[in-house]
Amino acid sequence: MTIQRYQDTFIQQNFAERIGGANYGKDTNIYKFEKIKRAKAAAKQAQPHVELIDMGVGEPDEMADAGIVAKLAEEAAKPENRGYADNGIAELKRAAADYLRQVFGVHDIDPDTEVLHSIGTKPALAMLPSCFINPGDVTIMTVPGYPVMGTHTKYLGGEVYNIPLTKEQQFLPDLERIPKDICRRAKLLYLNYPNNPTGAAATVEFFEKAIAWAKQHEVIIVHDAPYAALTFDGAKPFSFLSVPGARDVGVELHSLSKSYNMTGWRIGFIAGNPLIVKAFGDVKDNNDSGQFIAIQKAAAYGLSHPEITEAIANKYSRRHDMLVSALNEAGFRAEKPKGSFFLYVEAPNAIKNGPKFATGEDFSQYLIREKLISTVPWDDAGKFIRFSVTFEADGEADERRVIAELKRRLTDVEYIF
Ligand SMILES: Cc1ncc(COP(=O)(O)O)c(C=O)c1O
């Protein structure tokens, strides 16, 4: 049966406006990640013997720690762990509260009322608007960024107001520039540090300002923190919840996807304001029945072993050092981030005596086509490409080989900015 066969039936007519209504699926625009996929396939076909260096991957290149995997195996075998987990087990809540204290210095989180597990951060971001957004309400999002909370705000008839993250502002949003009407109608503000894709870190001063702004305008802050524990060069893991007043205005979302190499396991948690956590629990209870208890127990084990994350952060730090110096030697202006596995680099305007690039996407496509190097472009605020140090390499010697090869491919032309 083909999809086309059903496009003339009532099924096509019944689609909701939020996904395109009767026109759902007929949009011929090709979106960013599909364009990257197609360009990679074409480049591989054109040069089958050249290794494609994939710097565009947004998830870890390694599997979870052996201790976590062993804990899962042990717990998965126990009959008492087989059933619905509903809003989660106490063991994970306690481990999350201890983790926040031990790693981030956030004290006094009450595991009973201020923590709930989530099946990863993405569904939590998808559900939070259901707690707050009525038609016409506004969610403030930062761009470039992870759009899920904005998408669901729109699904509910709300509006999204985007604030650009620019290099000039250290990729921190300028909240004072938000129009008064938006401040009045806004209910949610999305922040994410260390930031995807810019790699920028927040400062205490910025969070203090954001908390004061949120109190003044009565807006809830959702801080999305999946990279918060992946810091290096002396930068300590930093939680929004460690800033005085944060718990009066918001919540923080943590995920084991990146900090524990557990993307496919689907486990994270929300922590902070108990009334927001309670409402999230009620909405969540109507969306899912909780993550498999064995996975929750394995996650609790992981959270009580923060040295696992430290080892992962050390690897990313080493790879960032190599990548940053290779890019700078090739003529880019790369700066090592304080956290995350992302390296956000300005795209050039042109190559001397060569092609011009109007957008980051143009440059990214050029890199795939001509150099077999894959990155992710971002054109929301300036033109940038995002490298990720989660590229595939088998050990440190292989990492050096990959980076040397990348440098070799990038240095045979001159970039004009
Ligand atoms: C900023 C940000 N938030 C949330 C997520 C989703 O994380 P999870 O795997 O916990 O759903 C990602 C994943 O790429 C992300 O970059």
Side-chain angles (χ1 to χ4, degrees), residues 58 119-123 125 146 190 192 194-196 224 226-227 254-258 263 266-268 342:
I119 302 182
T121 296
K122 190 178 192 175
L125 290 167
Y146 193 74
Y190 173 84
N192 159 230
N195 182 260
N196 175 9
D224 184 13
Y227 307 99
H254 285 265
S255 170
L256 282 83
S257 289
K258 316 296 165 74
T263 38
R266 313 311 303 134
I267 188 77
F342 298 122

Side-chain angles (χ1 to χ4, degrees), residues 4-26:
Q4 282 78 10
R5 188 174 154 206
Y6 289 100
Q7 284 180 331
D8 294 330
T9 71
F10 72 93
I11 293 174
Q12 182 71 39
Q13 298 307 315
N14 282 5
F15 286 123
E17 294 303 331
R18 70 177 66 88
I19 63 162
N23 284 322
Y24 166 72
K26 297 187 174 170

Side-chain angles (χ1 to χ4, degrees), residues 11 169 287 307 318:
I11 293 174
Q169 297 265 359
N287 274 277
E307 69 280 4
R318 180 179 74 226

Side-chain angles (χ1 to χ4, degrees), residues 137-148:
D137 292 341
V138 173
T139 290
I140 300 170
M141 300 290 295
T142 54
V143 289
Y146 193 74
V148 173

